[in-house]
Every structure is written in structure tokens, then in C-alpha cells.
């Protein structure tokens, strides 16, 4: 099992500032990536996705950046709000079909009002 | 519309007992997944269904774990002779038959084995 599971990386951000959450993925064959947000007591909620033929994709207040050279993914949240406080997971999959997602360990975002 | 529904939301059981966890996917979603999330950790894949068939059950940790899906809808995850290490949140997700692999999750069942 995982040895660091109880100690999620934590990012503390002042309300109104921008947040950047990072994720390193392991499978160079992965070509589809998703960011999920998980609030306490709830299941993961889809935020934004990106295919490997892109390096940037924007949504509402969120931007995902993909660097395939170093196998790195980031999620940027603009003007962070208290409601953004949650654990954020990146997920990867070798294709965009039905294969199971492989999740990262997660980062806890704490917004300071 | 309704999301993925899981029941029970919480289950406390004694070591050695069997438990059944239920998942109702979003109507019309053809693929269904079970994941496990231990305290403070990421999600670990268990099994997935395409229709009523399970093309990938590679994540089931032991033969005490099994799952079935009937009518292309409801799925049940069964854990026999539960052990303390089975304590976790069991999450179910479903997706449409479309190309994008966006999986929609239920709130999970928190299983505590005493």
C-alpha cells in the first residue's frame, strides 16, 4: 500500500489569489487526462479534461496545462474562492475509451478567507 | 438528472461477515466502474463493466471480492469474510458509450470493518 497516503500535499491560498496544483504522471502512453475535485464526504467531481494532442485547455476559472516532455500536468484556478477548498486529483488513461482511470495521490487545497 | 447513487452510504460490519454494496449508475450509461479509496489516498481501481460483462477485473485485491451487474444497470460489489484492511470508501462511477472517458462518481459507501 501507499506510505504517504495520510499526509496529502497541501496548498494554502489566500482567497482571490490564483492556485496552481501540480501532478506528475507516470505512463508515457497516457493520452487523456482529467482533473477531479473531491469535497469532504462526496465523490470526485469532474472539472476539466485534456487530450495529449493539446498543451492547454481553459474552462471557467480553470486552466489545465500539459507538458508531455516531462510528464507533468497542472491545474490553475483563477481568483480562488472558499468553495474551491477540496482535494484535487489528476487522472490519466492510455486512451479515451472505457479503460479505468489511474489516479494521482491528490492535493488538498485550503482557501484562507 | 439523477447522478450515480450508492447504498448504503455507511456500513459498519464485524470482521468475517459478508457485505454487499450497491451502485445505481446514471440512466443510459453503459460502462460502470468500482474504485476503492483508503483514508487520505487516491482512488484504486477494482473492476469495470461494459454492459453486464467485466472486461477488466484486475484490480480486485483477492478472491473475497466479487461484483456483478444485471440488466446493464445496477451493480453489486460483494466482499466476503471482511477483514479490517477492507475498511475504505468504495466509489462507483459510470460513463456513456461516447469516446471521452469522463467518469461520473457517486458519493461512495464508507465501509468500516471492526
Amino acid at each position: 500500500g501507499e506510505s504517504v497516503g495520510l499526509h496529502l500535499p497541501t496548498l494554502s491560498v489566500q482567497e482571490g489569489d490564483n492556485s496552481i496544483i501540480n501532478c506528475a504522471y507516470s505512463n508515457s502512453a497516457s493520452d487523456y487526462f482529467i482533473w477531479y475535485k473531491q469535497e469532504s464526504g462526496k465523490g470526485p467531481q469532474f472539472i476539466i479534461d485534456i487530450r495529449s494532442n493539446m498543451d492547454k485547455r481553459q474552462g471557467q476559472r480553470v486552466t489545465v496545462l500539459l507538458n508531455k516532455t516531462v510528464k507533468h500536468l497542472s491545474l490553475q484556478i483563477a481568483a480562488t474562492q472558499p468553495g474551491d477548498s477540496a482535494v484535487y486529483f489528476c487522472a490519466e488513461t492510455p486512451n479515451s475509451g472505457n479503460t479505468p482511470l489511474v489516479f494521482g495521490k491528490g492535493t488538498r487545497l485550503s482557501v484562507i478567507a | 438528472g439523477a447522478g450515480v447513487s450508492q447504498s448504503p452510504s455507511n456500513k459498519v460490519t464485524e470482521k468475517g461477515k459478508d457485505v454487499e454494496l450497491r451502485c445505481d449508475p446514471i440512466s443510459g450509461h453503459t460502462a460502470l466502474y468500482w474504485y476503492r479509496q483508503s483514508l487520505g489516498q487516491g482512488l484504486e481501481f477494482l473492476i469495470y463493466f461494459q454492459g453486464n460483462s467485466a472486461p477488466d477485473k484486475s484490480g480486485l485485491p483477492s478472491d473475497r471480492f466479487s461484483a456483478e451487474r444485471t440488466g446493464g444497470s445496477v451493480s453489486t460489489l460483494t466482499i466476503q469474510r471482511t477483514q479490517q484492511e477492507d475498511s475504505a470508501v468504495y466509489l462507483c462511477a459510470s460513463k456513456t458509450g461516447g469516446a471521452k472517458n469522463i467518469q461520473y462518481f457517486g458519493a461512495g459507501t464508507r465501509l468500516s470493518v471492526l
Side-chain angles (χ1 to χ4, degrees):
Chain A
E2 301 290 342
S3 60
V4 295
L6 289 179
H7 304 287
L8 282 175
T10 298
L11 175 67
S12 295
V13 175
Q14 203 72 35
E15 181 180 359
D17 287 353
N18 297 334
S19 303
I20 300 177
I21 300 170
N22 296 304
C23 175
Y25 64 93
S26 56
N27 189 352
S28 56
S30 290
D31 72 348
Y32 184 62
F33 305 87
I34 304 177
W35 279 100
Y36 282 93
K37 171 186 180 183
Q38 186 175 29
E39 296 174 278
S40 181
K42 297 183 179 180
Q45 175 188 3
F46 169 82
I47 302 174
I48 191 168
D49 61 344
I50 189 168
R51 293 185 189 273
S52 61
N53 61 354
M54 304 173 69
D55 53 20
K56 179 178 180 179
R57 187 154 190 247
Q58 289 185 290
Q60 186 176 12
R61 280 202 309 119
V62 294
T63 300
V64 55
L65 300 177
L66 175 63
N67 184 330
K68 294 180 289 295
T69 302
V70 295
K71 293 190 285 189
H72 184 269
L73 199 65
S74 69
L75 177 70
Q76 300 179 0
I77 305 173
T80 314
Q81 302 168 0
D84 295 327
S85 294
V87 177
Y88 290 80
F89 294 97
C90 64
E92 61 180 295
T93 183
N95 63 57
S96 55
N98 290 341
T99 51
L101 298 172
V102 177
F103 284 82
K105 290 184 174 58
T107 296
R108 184 179 305 279
L109 176 65
S110 179
V111 181
I112 305 163
Chain B
V4 177
S5 177
Q6 292 188 245
S7 60
S9 54
N10 283 283
K11 176 72 176 178
V12 180
T13 191
E14 293 178 350
K15 178 182 172 181
K17 295 284 179 70
D18 298 350
V19 295
E20 284 190 354
L21 312 180
R22 177 187 168 106
C23 173
D24 269 288
I26 294 172
S27 178
H29 280 197
T30 56
L32 184 150
Y33 305 78
W34 285 98
Y35 294 86
R36 178 168 72 173
Q37 185 174 32
S38 299
L39 183 62
Q41 297 197 27
L43 281 71
E44 171 193 14
F45 166 72
L46 298 177
I47 184 171
Y48 106 87
F49 290 90
Q50 181 60 46
N52 293 333
S53 301
D56 188 351
K57 52 180 78 172
S58 63
L60 295 177
S62 76
D63 58 8
R64 296 187 295 105
F65 288 72
S66 63
E68 64 175 13
R69 189 180 186 196
T70 54
S73 181
V74 171
S75 176
T76 302
L77 177 69
T78 301
I79 308 174
Q80 295 177 310
R81 305 181 303 282
T82 51
Q83 303 294 313
Q84 288 185 331
E85 60 263 29
D86 299 334
S87 296
V89 175
Y90 289 82
L91 289 159
C92 176
S94 69
K95 71 174 287 284
T96 68
K100 278 201 167 186
N101 195 359
I102 300 174
Q103 298 177 18
Y104 295 90
F105 284 83
T109 294
R110 180 175 297 278
L111 176 65
S112 300
V113 182
L114 304 179

